[in-house]
Amino acid sequence: MTTAQGTAPTSDVDVSVGTERWVLLATILASSMAFIDGSALNVALPTIQRELNVTGTQLFWIVNAYALFLASLILVGGSLGDHYGRKRVFMIGIGVFSLSSLACGLSPNIDVLIAARAVQGIGGALMVPGSLAILSASVSGARRGVAIGTWSTFSSITTLLGPVLGGWLSGLGFWRGVFFVNLPLALIALIVLILKVPESRDTEMSKSLDIPGVLLATLGLASITYGFIEGPNFGLTDPRILITLIGGAAALIIFVIVESRTKHPMVLLSLFRSHTFSGTNALTLLLYAALGAVPFFLLLNLVQVQGYPEQVAGFTFLPLGLIIATMSRFSGGLVDRIGPRLMLTVGPAIAGVGFLLFAIPGLTNGPSDYWITYFPAIVTLAFGMGLTVAPLTTAVMNSAPSHSSGTASGINNAVARTAGVLAIAIVGAIALFSFNSALTARTDSLNLPENARAQLRADSSKLADTKPPADLSADLTANVQNAIKLAYIDTFRLVALIGAGLAWTSALLAALLVEGRPVAKVAAVALEV
């Protein structure tokens, strides 16, 4: 996703070329905080789990506490900027994000870290939509394309560098630095905004905000997330879990009803009358769910099971970003010639093969085996996504009326982030059940004392960070440690297969719903290529 705004701002302020450069600097710096923080944190999670004695459930909450509020509030964040001033809301978002980042870095325990991450998500929801909105409103039409292209390039670079930075800091034993790095970026961005960037707002927009929609979306997503993440702890049939899951689903159904009747909806449901818009958003939900789940569990696999140092693990996904960035220009140009259906069918199908390849390796010899184990999977996934990302954005924007292009982009961005929230919650619950079952099966033949079995069952919520019970012989301890690793590999294989299934389903939906071009024209272009 290359856009994050909920409305389609127009250039409503007259600024000089010099001021446009300051606007570009401020928006790049602020956006970099969100991109670096998100990609760097995943690599630091194994270290955080070890140092703060974190369970698997708490590990999921570290990611989802932020993603939940960002996903449910990102559309209203863009609307607030249009109503009350994009610069003002953007600055408030930066302030909340940076202060909560400081709280994350200083967290003495996991509860404080999760709470601070939730506040960080609120700051992100105010900050992320404002970046492109301010840029679009402040840069003249003739230079806007170049400015957005520059913003996108730096966004890609910071996203690529995030895992490297996270791995380096974690390798130094300083995972808190992942959050502290936001502070100087925020300070510089705020100074530039105060001194150099003009205010802008949509003066023709209604002053009404969709408060019921915001509350229902947040309640629905929060309830479903809580139900699936905490389900393995209480059991999915526990009344507390059933009530939250049913209540969350009911809140989302009511949300759709409210959005269809309110005068100023947060989500413009009329856009979904387009088969292409519906198809591309369904594709986004499934494909980005796979992209949210599989890399999350892969990084835990690499560090905790395969023995990759954090610094090395941070580099493993670098080919993914490089290939997508390289291919996006080609695929973006090709979609204009052959239409989006073929590319949005073939791309996710290839990505599904990449996810499938992640399920093949067993227990490896560490980084020395990377090139023959996980590298082929990453390259295949990258090639599939390289064919998908730019055509997906183009199809979303072209499927909506021009006056609703910003709204369409914002909805698609919210869908992508919601996919990540649901993926970690639902796939995380499946992973916890799977790991417990696999660990029990792999230790049944070890003749462990009953108290040791009970301890393993109690500690299995830590997934691959589960420790062998104390007071076992050296040989038995080694066998239990090996069983823990193999049980996690069994679990990761299931996660990878789920990812493949989601990707292939998204390809099928694209083939059925997305608008296509005549076969003869597509074939002619293919021959030219």
Side-chain angles (χ1 to χ4, degrees):
M1 302 293 96
T2 57
T3 58
Q5 64 217 69
T7 56
T10 57
S11 185
D12 51 9
V13 290
D14 295 323
V15 299
S16 66
V17 174
T19 300
E20 289 177 359
R21 291 171 182 164
W22 288 113
V23 171
L24 187 59
L25 175 63
T27 54
I28 287 174
L29 287 174
S31 300
S32 296
M33 291 194 296
F35 293 128
I36 291 175
D37 187 88
S39 58
L41 179 62
N42 282 345
V43 186
L45 287 176
T47 304
I48 294 174
Q49 184 176 30
R50 182 176 63 251
E51 289 194 10
L52 297 184
N53 194 29
V54 172
T55 67
T57 297
Q58 291 168 328
L59 205 64
F60 302 152
W61 276 120
I62 293 174
V63 175
N64 264 5
Y66 171 81
L68 171 64
F69 284 96
L70 180 62
S72 57
L73 298 177
I74 192 169
L75 288 177
V76 77
S79 296
L80 286 171
D82 291 335
H83 283 302
Y84 301 112
R86 295 169 185 134
K87 173 181 168 180
R88 177 186 300 171
V89 173
F90 189 50
M91 291 176 64
I92 293 172
I94 293 173
V96 173
F97 191 90
S98 58
L99 290 176
S100 55
S101 295
L102 178 63
C104 288
L106 297 176
S107 299
N109 55 56
I110 185 60
D111 293 331
V112 174
L113 177 58
I114 291 172
R117 285 283 289 165
V119 178
Q120 202 179 32
I122 296 173
L126 298 175
M127 180 180 70
V128 171
S131 181
L132 278 177
I134 289 176
L135 194 62
S136 297
S138 302
V139 178
S140 66
R143 293 186 293 273
R144 189 177 299 151
V146 174
I148 293 177
T150 303
W151 180 91
S152 299
T153 298
F154 279 94
S155 298
S156 300
I157 291 172
T158 54
T159 302
L160 289 174
L161 293 179
V164 178
L165 177 65
W168 177 66
L169 290 171
S170 298
L172 295 176
F174 189 50
W175 60 265
R176 298 175 187 274
V178 169
F179 300 105
F180 291 149
V181 74
N182 293 329
L183 302 181
L185 295 177
L187 179 61
I188 297 172
L190 286 173
I191 292 173
V192 172
L193 284 162
I194 292 171
L195 298 179
K196 297 292 184 179
V197 176
E199 182 60 279
S200 65
R201 57 173 52 85
D202 189 341
T203 56
E204 298 179 359
M205 194 170 189
S206 167
K207 296 300 180 183
S208 298
L209 289 175
D210 184 17
I211 301 301
V214 173
L215 294 177
L216 286 167
T218 305
L219 177 63
L221 286 175
S223 298
I224 290 175
T225 300
Y226 176 86
F228 278 108
I229 289 182
E230 297 294 339
N233 294 331
F234 298 104
L236 288 177
T237 57
D238 185 278
R240 288 167 291 187
I241 300 303
L242 288 176
I243 289 172
T244 54
L245 288 175
I246 295 172
L252 293 180
I253 292 172
I254 296 172
F255 167 78
V256 173
I257 296 173
V258 169
E259 294 302 284
S260 67
R261 297 181 178 180
T262 184
K263 292 182 178 179
H264 308 287
M266 184 171 72
V267 175
L268 195 60
L269 295 180
S270 60
L271 292 174
F272 288 91
R273 293 171 186 162
S274 163
H275 286 177
T276 295
F277 188 79
S278 297
T280 50
N281 278 284
L283 182 156
T284 299
L285 182 68
L286 298 179
L287 185 58
Y288 277 73
L291 285 171
V294 176
F296 176 91
F297 287 96
L298 175 60
L299 286 166
L300 296 176
N301 183 16
L302 294 178
V303 175
Q304 295 177 334
V305 176
Q306 308 295 348
Y308 283 55
E310 286 90 342
Q311 299 95 319
V312 176
F315 279 96
T316 54
F317 272 92
L318 199 57
L320 177 67
L322 291 174
I323 291 173
I324 291 176
T326 302
M327 291 185 62
S328 288
R329 183 178 179 85
F330 164 78
S331 60
L334 189 59
V335 72
D336 291 331
R337 303 171 64 189
I338 67 174
R341 179 194 290 169
L342 180 62
M343 300 184 73
L344 294 182
T345 302
V346 174
I350 294 174
V353 175
F355 287 126
L356 181 64
L357 292 176
F358 280 119
I360 295 177
L363 194 57
T364 72
N365 294 316
S368 61
D369 284 350
Y370 168 74
W371 301 104
I372 59 173
T373 54
Y374 298 109
F375 179 71
I378 289 173
V379 169
T380 305
L381 173 62
F383 186 73
M385 292 305 300
L387 288 175
T388 304
V389 173
L392 179 58
T393 302
T394 302
V396 168
M397 302 298 281
N398 289 345
S399 64
S402 58
H403 62 83
S404 298
S405 60
T407 301
S409 172
I411 291 173
N412 190 247
N413 190 276
V415 168
R417 296 180 184 279
T418 300
V421 174
L422 296 178
I424 297 298
I426 298 173
V427 178
I430 294 172
L432 286 170
F433 282 119
S434 171
F435 179 76
N436 185 283
S437 176
L439 184 59
T440 299
R442 288 190 174 275
T443 54
D444 274 347
S445 62
L446 297 181
N447 297 318
L448 294 175
E450 185 54 38
N451 64 327
R453 293 180 184 277
Q455 184 179 336
L456 272 178
R457 285 194 297 271
D459 290 349
S460 65
S461 64
K462 295 182 179 179
L463 295 172
D465 199 45
T466 300
K467 299 294 188 296
D471 301 326
L472 296 179
S473 66
D475 287 344
L476 202 52
T477 297
N479 288 335
V480 170
Q481 185 64 64
N482 191 61
I484 292 170
K485 292 181 177 181
L486 293 175
Y488 187 84
I489 290 174
D490 293 339
T491 298
F492 177 69
R493 282 174 169 160
L494 175 60
V495 171
L497 291 175
I498 291 172
L502 290 170
W504 289 330
T505 304
S506 71
L508 177 61
L509 289 174
L512 295 175
L513 297 175
V514 175
E515 180 183 358
R517 297 280 177 86
V519 175
K521 184 172 183 178
V522 173
V525 173
L527 290 174
E528 293 177 11
V529 174

mmCIF file of all heavy atoms in Angstrom, residues 334 337-338 342 520-529:
data_model
loop_
_atom_site.group_PDB
_atom_site.id
_atom_site.type_symbol
_atom_site.label_atom_id
_atom_site.label_comp_id
_atom_site.label_asym_id
_atom_site.label_seq_id
_atom_site.Cartn_x
_atom_site.Cartn_y
_atom_site.Cartn_z
ATOM 1 N N LEU A 334 2.710 -2.141 -16.623
ATOM 2 C CA LEU A 334 2.061 -3.229 -17.354
ATOM 3 C C LEU A 334 0.561 -3.282 -17.087
ATOM 4 O O LEU A 334 -0.226 -3.618 -17.976
ATOM 5 C CB LEU A 334 2.714 -4.556 -16.967
ATOM 6 C CG LEU A 334 2.315 -5.791 -17.788
ATOM 7 C CD1 LEU A 334 2.644 -5.574 -19.261
ATOM 8 C CD2 LEU A 334 3.024 -7.036 -17.256
ATOM 9 N N ARG A 337 -1.670 -1.535 -19.420
ATOM 10 C CA ARG A 337 -1.781 -2.085 -20.769
ATOM 11 C C ARG A 337 -2.660 -3.340 -20.816
ATOM 12 O O ARG A 337 -3.353 -3.570 -21.812
ATOM 13 C CB ARG A 337 -0.386 -2.409 -21.310
ATOM 14 C CG ARG A 337 0.545 -1.198 -21.328
ATOM 15 C CD ARG A 337 1.973 -1.597 -21.662
ATOM 16 N NE ARG A 337 2.094 -2.153 -23.010
ATOM 17 C CZ ARG A 337 3.194 -2.735 -23.469
ATOM 18 N NH1 ARG A 337 4.261 -2.845 -22.683
ATOM 19 N NH2 ARG A 337 3.229 -3.212 -24.693
ATOM 20 N N ILE A 338 -2.634 -4.142 -19.770
ATOM 21 C CA ILE A 338 -3.373 -5.409 -19.821
ATOM 22 C C ILE A 338 -4.497 -5.486 -18.784
ATOM 23 O O ILE A 338 -5.231 -6.473 -18.731
ATOM 24 C CB ILE A 338 -2.433 -6.618 -19.635
ATOM 25 C CG1 ILE A 338 -1.838 -6.653 -18.225
ATOM 26 C CG2 ILE A 338 -1.342 -6.618 -20.681
ATOM 27 C CD1 ILE A 338 -1.019 -7.906 -17.942
ATOM 28 N N LEU A 342 -5.337 -10.163 -14.583
ATOM 29 C CA LEU A 342 -4.316 -11.189 -14.779
ATOM 30 C C LEU A 342 -3.208 -11.061 -13.745
ATOM 31 O O LEU A 342 -2.788 -12.055 -13.139
ATOM 32 C CB LEU A 342 -3.738 -11.085 -16.199
ATOM 33 C CG LEU A 342 -2.645 -12.113 -16.534
ATOM 34 C CD1 LEU A 342 -3.199 -13.527 -16.442
ATOM 35 C CD2 LEU A 342 -2.072 -11.853 -17.931
ATOM 36 N N ALA A 520 -7.462 -11.463 -26.159
ATOM 37 C CA ALA A 520 -6.602 -11.201 -27.324
ATOM 38 C C ALA A 520 -5.655 -10.037 -27.046
ATOM 39 O O ALA A 520 -4.471 -10.085 -27.406
ATOM 40 C CB ALA A 520 -7.463 -10.898 -28.550
ATOM 41 N N LYS A 521 -6.175 -8.987 -26.394
ATOM 42 C CA LYS A 521 -5.333 -7.823 -26.103
ATOM 43 C C LYS A 521 -4.256 -8.182 -25.083
ATOM 44 O O LYS A 521 -3.097 -7.774 -25.220
ATOM 45 C CB LYS A 521 -6.192 -6.681 -25.573
ATOM 46 C CG LYS A 521 -5.402 -5.400 -25.333
ATOM 47 C CD LYS A 521 -6.314 -4.240 -24.993
ATOM 48 C CE LYS A 521 -5.511 -2.952 -24.821
ATOM 49 N NZ LYS A 521 -6.368 -1.786 -24.525
ATOM 50 N N VAL A 522 -4.639 -8.949 -24.063
ATOM 51 C CA VAL A 522 -3.658 -9.370 -23.062
ATOM 52 C C VAL A 522 -2.574 -10.228 -23.701
ATOM 53 O O VAL A 522 -1.388 -10.070 -23.428
ATOM 54 C CB VAL A 522 -4.355 -10.140 -21.916
ATOM 55 C CG1 VAL A 522 -3.324 -10.725 -20.964
ATOM 56 C CG2 VAL A 522 -5.312 -9.231 -21.164
ATOM 57 N N ALA A 523 -2.976 -11.128 -24.582
ATOM 58 C CA ALA A 523 -2.010 -12.002 -25.248
ATOM 59 C C ALA A 523 -1.053 -11.196 -26.121
ATOM 60 O O ALA A 523 0.152 -11.481 -26.170
ATOM 61 C CB ALA A 523 -2.747 -13.044 -26.087
ATOM 62 N N ALA A 524 -1.583 -10.188 -26.814
ATOM 63 C CA ALA A 524 -0.729 -9.363 -27.672
ATOM 64 C C ALA A 524 0.317 -8.624 -26.857
ATOM 65 O O ALA A 524 1.487 -8.549 -27.246
ATOM 66 C CB ALA A 524 -1.597 -8.376 -28.457
ATOM 67 N N VAL A 525 -0.095 -8.064 -25.730
ATOM 68 C CA VAL A 525 0.850 -7.362 -24.870
ATOM 69 C C VAL A 525 1.880 -8.330 -24.304
ATOM 70 O O VAL A 525 3.070 -8.018 -24.213
ATOM 71 C CB VAL A 525 0.106 -6.632 -23.726
ATOM 72 C CG1 VAL A 525 1.107 -6.037 -22.736
ATOM 73 C CG2 VAL A 525 -0.790 -5.555 -24.298
ATOM 74 N N ALA A 526 1.432 -9.537 -23.929
ATOM 75 C CA ALA A 526 2.347 -10.540 -23.379
ATOM 76 C C ALA A 526 3.427 -10.900 -24.397
ATOM 77 O O ALA A 526 4.602 -11.083 -24.044
ATOM 78 C CB ALA A 526 1.570 -11.783 -22.956
ATOM 79 N N LEU A 527 3.038 -11.005 -25.668
ATOM 80 C CA LEU A 527 4.018 -11.318 -26.697
ATOM 81 C C LEU A 527 5.027 -10.189 -26.857
ATOM 82 O O LEU A 527 6.223 -10.430 -27.106
ATOM 83 C CB LEU A 527 3.305 -11.584 -28.029
ATOM 84 C CG LEU A 527 2.487 -12.883 -28.105
ATOM 85 C CD1 LEU A 527 1.723 -12.954 -29.424
ATOM 86 C CD2 LEU A 527 3.425 -14.094 -27.965
ATOM 87 N N GLU A 528 4.558 -8.941 -26.726
ATOM 88 C CA GLU A 528 5.470 -7.802 -26.817
ATOM 89 C C GLU A 528 6.486 -7.821 -25.680
ATOM 90 O O GLU A 528 7.658 -7.523 -25.872
ATOM 91 C CB GLU A 528 4.682 -6.498 -26.775
ATOM 92 C CG GLU A 528 3.801 -6.270 -27.988
ATOM 93 C CD GLU A 528 2.987 -4.991 -27.848
ATOM 94 O OE1 GLU A 528 3.275 -4.213 -26.911
ATOM 95 O OE2 GLU A 528 2.066 -4.776 -28.652
ATOM 96 N N VAL A 529 6.011 -8.146 -24.452
ATOM 97 C CA VAL A 529 6.890 -8.182 -23.283
ATOM 98 C C VAL A 529 7.898 -9.289 -23.416
ATOM 99 O O VAL A 529 9.068 -9.132 -23.129
ATOM 100 C CB VAL A 529 6.062 -8.360 -21.990
ATOM 101 C CG1 VAL A 529 6.982 -8.545 -20.792
ATOM 102 C CG2 VAL A 529 5.139 -7.186 -21.772
#
